[in-house]
Amino acid sequence: MSSASVSLKTAFELNVGSPIGQFRAAPVCLGPDGPHAMIAAYAADFDVDPYVEMFFFPTDTLKLVLFDLKGKILWKRDLGPAVVPGMWFVPVLPFDLDGDGCDEIFYVGNTDPQHPLGVSKYVLERLDARTGEVTGQWPWPRYGGEQTLSSQFRNFLMGARVYDEPVLVTAQGTYGAMFLQGWRPGMQARWDHRIAADSPGARGSHMCPVVDINHDGVDELMWGERCIELDKGTELFCADRDVYRGHSDVIQPLFDRASGRWFVYTIREGDPEATPRVVLFDDQGRRVWGAVDKGHMDMGWVARRGPEARFIAMAIRIGHKTCGPDGRFHEGRTEFVFDAMTGRPVDPGFSVYQTKPVDLNGDGRHEFVRGIPGGDGEVIDENGVILGSVGGPVALTGKFLDRPGEQVLVYHPDGAVRAWYDANAEDRPQALERYSSRFYQTNLRHMSTGSNPSVLAGA
């Protein structure tokens, strides 16, 4: 199938009724045969970052909206001025923890309406996905004492499975001390895992993929370059424990069909003296290859390309980054692309900046959309040929509609939201295998951070 035959069409559109500066979304099951809807978190301001040089006072509140896959809004909920509208302050997760076939909506809220930074009153809230009503509230785990603003407000929510049992994971921290908790149905504590600030090994990451890396039926969480199994919350390995103490911008599992094994691609943001900055590890945390001697790596992905659908891996080194009400900007960029399995440099023939991989036509290889915040929505094929445009930044790529191929969910400043698809798509067996994999289905629900693409391309 040729990417040149891609025909971009709008599947549905809606308007949330207020300006959009930030927008995150994930599919939601309202019964056992879903997904049936999508949950989105949005506000008029750009995403508020807790780092003091990027933090700004928001002018709007964070809202949640549930809409069906025809664009009909089913309910809205305003989280109010006590909740800081930023992805690190308020993670949102649709997840069926009670096993009834219908997702619950989990997010971090605040019961103190006068103090948006009052962490002692932060709570994990649960909503009924059908109605938007609160059905549960628990204190948000708080450890580590007083911390800097950037370290204190790094909250995460992930969903996983241990054999057939769902496990909810809550976590706090990225740069220093880090804390993770596992919960059984009924919000019964399952395990508690703590990583001290002075412990050897890597810190966290801005991506938290869940993968059954050893095929034993128990999901693992890639917490930075640490692999934590989610049955008892124990660490299976910490890659490069004696080499790297920083945090990684991207952690991307990728499944090599030839060997039947998982590998883990990472690009490193922190610990600037450590080398290499771009690394591929195997499923036991052993380094396969490394590249790039120095620099702040900030954005990357893996994607399938070429007649054999081989993985390529992208990384961008930046000289400086700014973020504020007007958006996020990267200066002094250098782009790197590799054959993901060998580390051999690859010239893709186009700039990979602002791109996200998406298999629009279902042929098992990826097209690319310039969809990170600030991107114009241009869609190109694997050789850089322009196929069209979806018109703006992308909240989600993946298979969330009952149509061939993957789809793209786009948002606009005027409040408009549109889902795009390829009218000529035909799913090949390799694509169908990807969509049905446990890795793909699990991580599709994990809302993208916005600064990085979905991890789905690694399936």
Side-chain angles (χ1 to χ4, degrees):
M1 184 185 302
S2 170
S3 291
S5 64
V6 166
S7 176
L8 294 170
K9 302 291 183 182
T10 303
F12 67 79
E13 60 182 290
L14 65 139
N15 196 295
V16 298
S18 60
I20 297 177
Q22 60 174 280
F23 192 90
R24 294 172 276 153
V28 175
C29 290
L30 301 179
D33 59 343
H36 310 85
M38 303 196 78
I39 185 72
Y42 67 97
D45 298 291
F46 191 74
D47 185 75
V48 181
D49 193 288
Y51 175 47
V52 291
E53 300 294 338
M54 296 181 179
F55 180 86
F56 62 91
F57 292 105
T59 64
D60 192 22
T61 55
L62 191 69
K63 288 93 172 169
L64 299 180
V65 60
L66 190 89
F67 51 90
D68 68 19
L69 301 183
K70 295 181 179 179
K72 178 182 178 181
I73 292 176
L74 304 180
W75 55 259
K76 289 184 182 180
R77 188 175 188 89
D78 192 322
L79 300 189
V83 169
V84 181
M87 56 192 168
W88 307 123
F89 291 92
V90 189
V92 180
L93 174 72
F95 184 59
D96 181 14
L97 183 60
D98 62 14
D100 68 351
C102 179
D103 288 332
E104 301 91 62
I105 308 299
F106 294 91
Y107 66 93
V108 176
N110 184 4
T111 59
D112 185 344
Q114 296 183 328
H115 299 99
L117 302 181
V119 292
S120 64
K121 299 299 176 64
Y122 276 29
V123 292
L124 175 65
E125 287 199 331
R126 182 186 66 198
L127 304 181
D128 184 322
R130 298 183 182 94
T131 66
E133 297 300 314
V134 176
T135 59
Q137 189 180 87
W138 301 268
W140 182 248
R142 183 190 177 203
Y143 304 100
E146 295 296 327
Q147 302 179 63
T148 65
L149 190 73
S150 187
S151 294
Q152 183 75 73
F153 298 100
R154 300 284 170 175
N155 300 318
F156 299 84
L157 285 168
M158 288 75 65
R161 300 194 74 81
V162 171
Y163 305 114
D164 292 326
E165 184 179 1
V167 178
L168 177 69
V169 180
T170 56
Q172 306 83 37
T174 298
Y175 307 128
M178 300 174 290
F179 311 92
L180 301 94
Q181 307 85 36
W183 305 92
R184 297 180 185 274
M187 288 303 296
Q188 300 299 311
R190 184 180 187 118
W191 50 260
D192 183 278
H193 185 92
R194 306 185 186 191
I195 304 166
D198 61 354
S199 65
R203 302 297 92 191
S205 176
H206 302 313
M207 296 174 68
C208 303
V210 169
V211 56
D212 182 4
I213 201 165
N214 52 12
H215 307 285
D216 66 351
V218 175
D219 282 338
E220 282 79 41
L221 171 67
M222 292 306 306
W223 184 256
E225 296 174 23
R226 300 171 188 266
C227 181
I228 300 171
E229 61 83 22
L230 300 180
D231 183 9
K232 299 178 181 178
T234 55
E235 185 177 283
L236 296 187
F237 63 78
C238 178
D240 273 3
R241 183 185 295 274
D242 298 324
V243 173
Y244 189 58
R245 295 291 296 270
H247 73 283
S248 298
D249 189 63
V250 167
I251 292 290
Q252 171 70 74
L254 56 150
F255 183 67
D256 176 43
R257 289 190 178 93
S259 64
R261 297 173 61 193
W262 286 96
F263 292 78
V264 179
Y265 174 69
T266 181
I267 66 170
R268 292 167 164 174
E269 185 172 352
D271 193 4
E273 301 303 316
T275 187
R277 310 301 293 171
V278 180
V279 188
L280 183 76
F281 297 107
D282 70 9
D283 53 5
Q284 298 182 54
R286 297 173 299 204
R287 191 190 298 178
V288 177
W289 60 263
V292 186
D293 292 334
K294 59 184 179 179
H296 174 160
M297 312 307 294
D298 193 288
M299 288 173 291
W301 44 246
V302 299
R304 292 188 180 273
R305 181 176 186 257
E308 298 179 353
R310 286 184 62 85
F311 276 119
I312 60 170
M314 179 274 277
I316 295 180
R317 181 171 61 198
I318 65 169
H320 184 62
K321 176 170 63 176
T322 59
C323 183
D326 54 346
R328 185 180 294 110
F329 305 94
H330 306 90
E331 300 173 2
R333 302 188 304 269
T334 306
E335 301 180 8
F336 302 88
V337 182
F338 307 94
D339 180 291
M341 302 311 298
T342 67
R344 177 179 57 83
V346 171
D347 179 4
F350 59 93
S351 171
V352 295
Y353 181 57
Q354 295 183 320
T355 59
K356 294 186 175 188
V358 55
D359 183 6
L360 286 165
N361 59 15
D363 68 353
R365 292 150 34 195
H366 287 95
E367 290 75 45
F368 302 90
V369 55
R370 298 196 187 278
I372 73 167
D376 61 6
E378 179 183 72
V379 179
I380 60 178
D381 73 6
E382 61 182 11
N383 298 308
V385 175
I386 298 173
L387 303 175
S389 177
V390 294
V394 172
L396 179 67
T397 59
K399 194 175 188 68
F400 54 84
L401 299 177
D402 187 18
R403 293 178 179 272
E406 293 183 320
Q407 296 85 44
V408 178
L409 189 71
V410 179
Y411 60 95
H412 300 269
D414 64 358
V417 179
R418 296 183 177 91
W420 292 82
Y421 70 101
D422 173 18
N424 296 332
E426 298 177 21
D427 284 328
R428 299 286 179 87
Q430 188 177 83
L432 293 171
E433 181 182 353
R434 286 183 61 233
Y435 309 148
S436 62
S437 73
R438 179 161 153 172
F439 172 82
Y440 192 100
Q441 291 296 318
T442 296
N443 290 283
L444 182 61
R445 308 296 182 84
H446 293 171
M447 283 193 179
S448 169
T449 62
S451 61
N452 292 305
S454 162
V455 301
L456 303 181

